Amino acid sequence: SASNNDDESPSHKGSHHHHHHHNSPTRLYLKEYLATYGSSYWIQIIELFKRSFVFVYTDYSYLGMLIISHLFFAVIVAIIFNNLTDNATGVQDRIGLLFMCTTNVCFSHANFALNRFRTSKLLYIREQQVGSYSPAIYFLATFTADLPILALCIMLKSIIVYFATGLYGSAGAFFYFFIVLFLLSVASFGFGALVGTAISNEVIATSVVPMIQVPMLMCGGLLADNDQIRPYFIWLEKISVHRYGSLLLFHNEFSHLGELSCDPALFGVTGCALQPKRGSDVIPFLGFDDEQDSEWVMWISLAAFIFLIRFGQLVAFYVIAHGKY
């Protein structure tokens, strides 16, 4: 190039010397790499997807912990709630079981994601400083790479929990259960990833997750009833991912249950008179009978929550790309 021929001129020597500290081997390598590949979005997509998948699926301690924690939970639940009945106790047990499943998915996945992004974040910021690739593609790649392992874990958990406890046995009800838990895991994984991306201080990030999740859990439908939440905390109920999950699982389970038996010897005649008679009466019995708690509203809320959380994470990726961390 032209500059080599003019190397003798003092001005160039000065400028050459001046720029020397920018040309670290990494930077030169990346410059060369970008000169070759930088133009093509497809190359970026393929490379980043490849790298994200390798990053997730060669991290055996991470994969192991994810799978073991799900199996551990599933086995405990299977032991506690095995052989669910169709009487009043069975209804209580089903409610407890479904609520535990949503709570477990929401908490464990947020924490996994939080730690996940702490390691890859530094590398991401370093690469953004040399302008390697679009944050949006990086976001898509990392988001997609986590889906198969989440799906596998939730499938394992669903199979064990579903069949060991005797929840309503139909393929449709099972897949509904699986999809709800899978979407919950995507939502809470996204929530943890968002916090991990947006907050650089480890201690703060770790305490923010439960600080936001516990109020969501309180509004999850079982710990405080609607009258206690509304009207002041209705906004919290509306963003409670625990609530969407629990209500969808309740709808799924109880809409399929027919007659519920009740033994007057156990519950007394008045006790039985107060109990829901059929599965479909359980949801109104729990106080979720208005339109804003209906199934379709919960599905839309869950989808909107996932979209907003993930969009927030994408924005955070753009922000930290230019931040000085």
Side-chain angles (χ1 to χ4, degrees), residues 52 55-57 59 62 111-121 146 189:
S52 299
F55 180 70
V56 173
Y57 298 98
D59 187 343
Y62 168 70
N111 288 324
F112 275 119
L114 193 60
N115 302 321
R116 190 101 209 97
F117 277 86
R118 200 160 291 132
T119 39
S120 47
K121 194 164 118 177
D146 282 309
F189 203 84

Side-chain angles (χ1 to χ4, degrees), residues 137-175:
I137 295 179
Y138 176 79
F139 162 75
L140 271 179
T142 50
F143 172 63
T144 317
D146 282 309
L147 295 180
I149 184 65
L150 292 183
L152 173 72
C153 287
I154 298 290
M155 183 51 88
L156 286 173
K157 178 187 276 183
S158 300
I159 290 172
I160 296 173
V161 167
Y162 214 85
F163 297 109
T165 57
L167 288 164
Y168 182 79
S170 78
F174 172 78
F175 277 106

Side-chain angles (χ1 to χ4, degrees), residues 87-89 91-92 260-262 267 270-278 281 285:
N87 59 18
T89 330
V91 169
Q92 282 307 315
L260 301 172
S261 59
C262 184
F267 297 97
T270 24
C272 282
L274 293 170
Q275 285 297 329
K277 304 280 175 287
R278 304 181 53 76
D281 303 335
F285 176 74

